[in-house]
Amino acid sequence: MTNHKIALMPGDGIGPEIIAEGKKVINAVSDIEGFKIKWNKFPHGADHYLKTGELLSEEALKKLEKNESIYFGSIGDPRIKPGVLEKGILLKLRFYFDQYVNLRPVKLFDGVDTPLANKTAKDIDFMVVRENTEDFYVGIGGRARVGRTFDSLEVARELYNVKFGLDIETDGDEIAYQIGVLSSKGCDRVMKYSFDLAVKQGRKKVTAVDKANVLTEMYGMWRERFETIAKRYPQIEHDFNFVDAITMWFVKNPEWFDVVVAPNMFGDIITDLGAMIQGGLGLAAGGNINPEGISMFEPIHGSAPKYTGMNVANPLATVWSAALLLEEIGEQKASERVMDAISELLVEGKVRTKDRGGSARTSDVGNELVRLIKEKA
Ligand code: NAD
Ligand code: IPM
Ligand code: MN
């Protein structure tokens, strides 16, 4: 019997509640398909940080590395300054494991309402591939006051290291700056992934997102790399959209999109919009993927602190992310069983959480999915 070792990091807010349902569903399909999961739980998040001062130590990363994949809830807590947990845990994981693809499907299921008039499931079905290691997310920047200062900034990545020495002279009271970095290798690998995904899924077109009309250096290079990679895939169409315009097209003509490849920050923003057109954040799944390494699966939403402990959050995004995880570890049939159960639950329309206008609890959704899975076994 195959044994899979999966790291489980429920995190903060609604994280533990939604992860519990995902785990329930994975356990149900593993029983049917005849494989075992060994869950290795990691306590990292706000409470652990407040108790111990640890965000995510080198030791924890080494332990995580012993797993095949990571199943992650959500991070973020109002008691802690914004950015501390987000950068210290979530981004640290994405960067440490060089999960350079953030795959976020945008798909409207039958039975789900979209706020877009006259659009149905056949109109909303595309994949966003968000670059996940570069851009303004490299986390370098600083602040300077009147006079002359020097700052030394460094980005250490699997692909390359880069250092900036900044001689700053300003007569403004205070300035703040943040540096974005793209590399040609970093662009190429995520663009190649996007075209390969189009080929694999029988999709026709890849659209690149940028702001090459203003941030001409970074996104000028992004465009150049995209043109170069696109030439290797003559059978796949390609085009560009400026990020402001694509938000309009997602609303007006979502049926135009097949695979959308975006730099990190724009990818973050447009996928919350993508979530809304497919029925809300409670339904938007994602994977942080390193095709050659350890990947991590999580819903795209955050810790929704106001719902903590209330058993009202929608776990479907987290369950869908579990299906992506199962596919990644080679359990294709189990993944399909999860997706079929989600699809059936949505068509049935009986078990709806608060965000979808119902009164079902988080755990009711998991229980119903398990019932549907067992019924079909
Ligand atoms: P959020 O995604 O947590 O929540 C925004 C709103 O969306 C919620 O108030 C809720 O109304 C709704 N929502 C989100 N998920 C839902 C679910 N599963 N079921 C029902 N409703 C749901 O975004 P936010 O309020 O901007 O951020 C809260 C915290 O989460 C912050 O600390 C932020 O940094 C963090 N965050 C973490 C992640 C992550 O872990 N990947 C992602 C985004 C935000
Ligand atoms: C997401 C979140 C994260 C991001 C934050 C919490 C670091 O918004 O997963 O979409 O910006 O990537
Ligand atoms: Mn986000």
Side-chain angles (χ1 to χ4, degrees):
M1 186 184 279
T2 319
N3 246 307
H4 296 287
K5 275 193 202 165
I6 310 291
L8 193 68
M9 200 179 279
D12 302 324
I14 59 171
E17 296 160 65
I18 53 180
I19 278 287
E21 301 314 303
K23 196 177 154 201
K24 208 187 255 179
V25 170
I26 294 186
N27 285 335
V29 289
S30 67
D31 285 347
I32 296 167
E33 289 300 331
F35 60 90
K36 270 210 153 23
I37 303 273
K38 164 109 175 55
W39 298 101
N40 294 316
K41 198 166 170 195
F42 289 76
H44 300 80
D47 286 337
H48 180 76
Y49 174 63
L50 290 172
K51 225 185 293 163
T52 66
E54 182 203 354
L55 285 165
L56 191 60
S57 62
E58 201 58 34
E59 193 191 336
L61 288 164
K62 291 277 175 269
K63 276 194 191 147
L64 279 160
E65 218 158 16
K66 298 205 172 92
N67 293 275
E68 221 173 310
S69 189
I70 304 169
Y71 193 34
F72 187 91
S74 53
I75 215 89
D77 186 297
R79 292 170 294 175
I80 297 163
K81 196 173 149 207
V84 173
L85 300 164
E86 290 84 348
K87 293 199 314 189
I89 299 177
L90 181 58
L91 296 185
K92 179 111 182 213
L93 285 162
R94 290 179 184 168
F95 298 162
Y96 182 85
F97 291 111
D98 202 23
Q99 293 158 345
Y100 63 85
V101 170
N102 191 184
L103 186 65
R104 297 184 157 182
V106 179
K107 177 180 162 62
L108 178 67
F109 278 87
D110 283 322
V112 176
D113 293 330
T114 172
L116 304 186
N118 308 318
K119 300 292 176 191
T120 61
K122 69 173 187 349
D123 301 307
I124 303 174
D125 180 6
F126 58 94
M127 304 296 276
V128 178
V129 178
R130 168 189 178 195
E131 200 289 322
N132 214 23
T133 58
E134 302 197 304
D135 199 29
F136 289 105
Y137 274 68
V138 293
I140 55 172
R143 292 162 80 147
R145 292 191 177 273
V146 181
R148 216 170 157 177
T149 42
F150 183 79
D151 205 351
S152 157
L153 307 167
E154 193 173 346
V155 182
R157 283 283 179 282
E158 186 80 22
L159 273 186
Y160 58 88
N161 293 320
V162 54
K163 283 186 187 161
F164 297 88
L166 283 190
D167 214 346
I168 308 162
E169 195 177 342
T170 176
D171 58 1
D173 285 343
E174 187 180 20
I175 60 144
Y177 57 94
Q178 194 97 37
I179 294 182
V181 178
L182 288 183
S183 67
S184 57
K185 280 187 192 164
C187 295
D188 287 5
R189 63 182 185 174
V190 77
M191 289 167 177
K192 192 173 166 301
Y193 182 94
S194 304
F195 280 98
D196 287 341
L197 182 70
V199 172
K200 185 174 143 200
Q201 297 192 343
R203 294 178 182 269
K204 284 209 288 284
K205 186 173 75 175
V206 181
T207 302
V209 182
D210 63 49
K211 188 76 187 172
N213 50 345
V214 178
L215 298 166
T216 49
E217 301 311 320
M218 260 167 67
Y219 302 127
M221 186 173 86
W222 173 268
R223 274 202 177 202
E224 267 171 43
R225 295 318 308 165
F226 186 66
E227 286 285 16
T228 305
I229 301 296
K231 286 204 178 81
R232 298 188 202 158
Y233 299 83
Q235 75 278 33
I236 306 286
E237 291 168 36
H238 68 281
D239 65 0
F240 300 98
N241 272 187
F242 292 127
V243 64
D244 45 356
I246 208 169
T247 60
M248 170 185 70
W249 298 125
F250 271 16
V251 171
K252 193 166 180 292
N253 294 110
E255 66 280 4
W256 283 356
F257 300 101
D258 255 345
V259 176
V260 175
V261 60
N264 210 337
M265 187 163 73
F266 299 151
D268 176 43
I269 297 166
I270 66 171
T271 49
D272 267 32
L273 175 58
M276 284 323 287
I277 68 173
Q278 64 173 346
L281 276 170
L283 273 158
N288 304 278
I289 298 172
N290 176 342
E292 294 89 38
I294 296 170
S295 300
M296 174 167 80
F297 297 84
E298 54 163 346
I300 84 160
H301 63 71
S303 56
K306 67 181 181 198
Y307 294 142
T308 308
M310 292 169 65
N311 201 13
V312 297
N314 187 347
L316 285 172
T318 312
V319 176
W320 186 351
S321 305
L324 298 175
L325 183 155
L326 289 166
E327 195 181 328
E328 177 77 13
I329 63 171
E331 297 294 351
Q332 186 61 37
K333 277 201 186 138
S335 171
E336 280 162 22
R337 284 188 190 276
V338 174
M339 290 314 291
D340 287 348
I342 292 176
S343 161
E344 235 179 287
L345 176 136
L346 292 169
V347 169
E348 231 179 38
K350 285 189 314 206
V351 185
R352 289 170 185 252
T353 40
K354 188 172 178 301
D355 57 318
R356 303 193 51 243
S359 57
R361 292 165 302 174
T362 309
S363 47
D364 295 334
V365 178
N367 294 342
E368 178 64 5
L369 290 168
V370 170
R371 191 188 70 76
L372 291 166
I373 286 166
K374 287 189 174 155
E375 195 179 72
K376 276 227 165 155

